[in-house]
Amino acid sequence: ATTCGYIVGEEIGQSWGGLVIANSLLIAIAGAFTSLTITSHLRHCRDRFWFIIFTLAAGLGLGVNTVWSMHFVGMQALNLGGGKISGATALLRIEFEVGVTVLSAIAAWLVAAAGIYVMSNRDVRKRTAVDREMFCRLGRSTALIAVGVVLVHYAGMLSQTGSFDMEYDPMVILASASIAAVASSAGLVILMVFPDTFVLRFWSSVIISCAVNSMHYTGMLAATYRVSSKTRVTLGSYSRPIDGGRVA
């Protein structure tokens, strides 16, 4: 059986758009800078109401602007085309299931906010202290955000619909999870411990962006796409093409 000149079951080639990848880096830098700016206020906030507001806002900057928006910009960099057996060259259309996409955004926001809350919910005089309690909080926050980032990433990949099936390499998934853990830990330390200056905030945003992008594109490499005679659709779904740039 064939689909658009492809042989059903054959592996589909993957190529990447360099300009879109660069855009995903910029999107994550902007999100990380926003989150760092908000946490500069969170560090010294004494009022409980505003502490919660700043935590939610910082989670929005880190989880949605830095991770989720970057993810959907980065997804636009992927071009599926090139049959490994048939030699077909037509690009296959990729759409995204709307429900899973929206849920992944909400999850990214809440998980990031929860991680920041765990890290910063201590006496205001000790929020930037490097002590035993900080490392305990860092461990819990890192685990929470790393698991959340991995789940959000692969939920986003699950939302892809089209004339293909996907297979995953568990070792590459493990590698992406390890990168997520290191990135989460470094990001939390930068958010809560490093001195707050504009220059340091900017370069910290670059570091966080590079880490998040590394996790994303490593995670993308875990997937092998194969031609399917049926459109891959998440059960009960409503799928649409999503422009990651507009989402961001």
Side-chain angles (χ1 to χ4, degrees), residues 151-208:
L151 289 176
V152 166
H153 175 81
Y154 287 103
M157 294 189 69
L158 176 67
S159 73
Q160 293 178 103
T161 67
S163 300
F164 51 79
D165 291 317
M166 290 188 292
E167 301 171 355
Y168 292 98
D169 184 334
M171 295 307 295
V172 180
I173 292 176
L174 180 61
S176 69
S178 299
I179 293 172
V182 173
S184 300
S185 181
L188 285 164
V189 171
I190 290 170
L191 285 170
M192 295 307 302
V193 176
F194 276 33
D196 181 46
T197 66
F198 180 87
V199 173
L200 186 57
R201 195 186 304 171
F202 171 77
W203 286 111
S204 296
S205 301
V206 173
I207 292 170
I208 292 173

Side-chain angles (χ1 to χ4, degrees), residues 28-241:
I29 288 173
F33 189 87
T34 299
S35 191
L36 286 167
T37 301
I38 295 169
T39 53
S40 68
H41 299 287
L42 176 65
R43 292 181 184 191
H44 310 292
C45 183
R46 295 177 180 274
D47 184 87
R48 192 64 183 174
F49 173 78
W50 285 106
F51 175 79
I52 298 298
I53 294 298
F54 283 135
T55 299
L56 290 172
L60 188 65
L62 181 63
V64 178
N65 293 4
T66 308
V67 176
W68 187 83
S69 293
M70 174 269 138
H71 170 78
F72 279 99
V73 171
M75 293 297 283
Q76 309 302 309
L78 172 64
N79 297 308
L80 285 182
K84 295 299 181 75
I85 299 174
S86 66
T89 58
L91 292 178
L92 297 184
R93 182 182 178 89
I94 302 175
E95 295 187 347
F96 296 89
E97 199 283 314
V98 175
V100 175
T101 300
V102 172
L103 286 175
S104 68
I106 296 171
W109 177 20
L110 295 180
V111 167
I116 292 171
Y117 177 85
V118 170
M119 184 70 179
S120 60
N121 187 33
R122 59 187 304 195
D123 188 288
V124 67
R125 294 167 295 182
K126 297 181 179 180
R127 280 184 193 153
T128 59
V130 180
D131 54 18
R132 182 176 179 179
E133 183 181 354
M134 187 277 283
F135 284 108
C136 290
R137 290 178 177 274
L138 177 63
R140 295 196 297 271
S141 298
T142 295
L144 180 63
I145 292 181
V147 170
V149 167
V150 170
L151 289 176
V152 166
H153 175 81
Y154 287 103
M157 294 189 69
L158 176 67
S159 73
Q160 293 178 103
T161 67
S163 300
F164 51 79
D165 291 317
M166 290 188 292
E167 301 171 355
Y168 292 98
D169 184 334
M171 295 307 295
V172 180
I173 292 176
L174 180 61
S176 69
S178 299
I179 293 172
V182 173
S184 300
S185 181
L188 285 164
V189 171
I190 290 170
L191 285 170
M192 295 307 302
V193 176
F194 276 33
D196 181 46
T197 66
F198 180 87
V199 173
L200 186 57
R201 195 186 304 171
F202 171 77
W203 286 111
S204 296
S205 301
V206 173
I207 292 170
I208 292 173
S209 173
C210 289
V212 170
N213 275 267
S214 295
M215 182 274 155
H216 171 80
Y217 291 109
T218 300
M220 290 292 290
L221 291 176
T224 298
Y225 295 80
R226 296 190 181 278
V227 178
S228 173
S229 58
K230 297 180 180 180
T231 300
R232 178 185 179 278
V233 180
T234 306
L235 208 58
S237 68
Y238 172 66
S239 60
R240 298 284 297 170

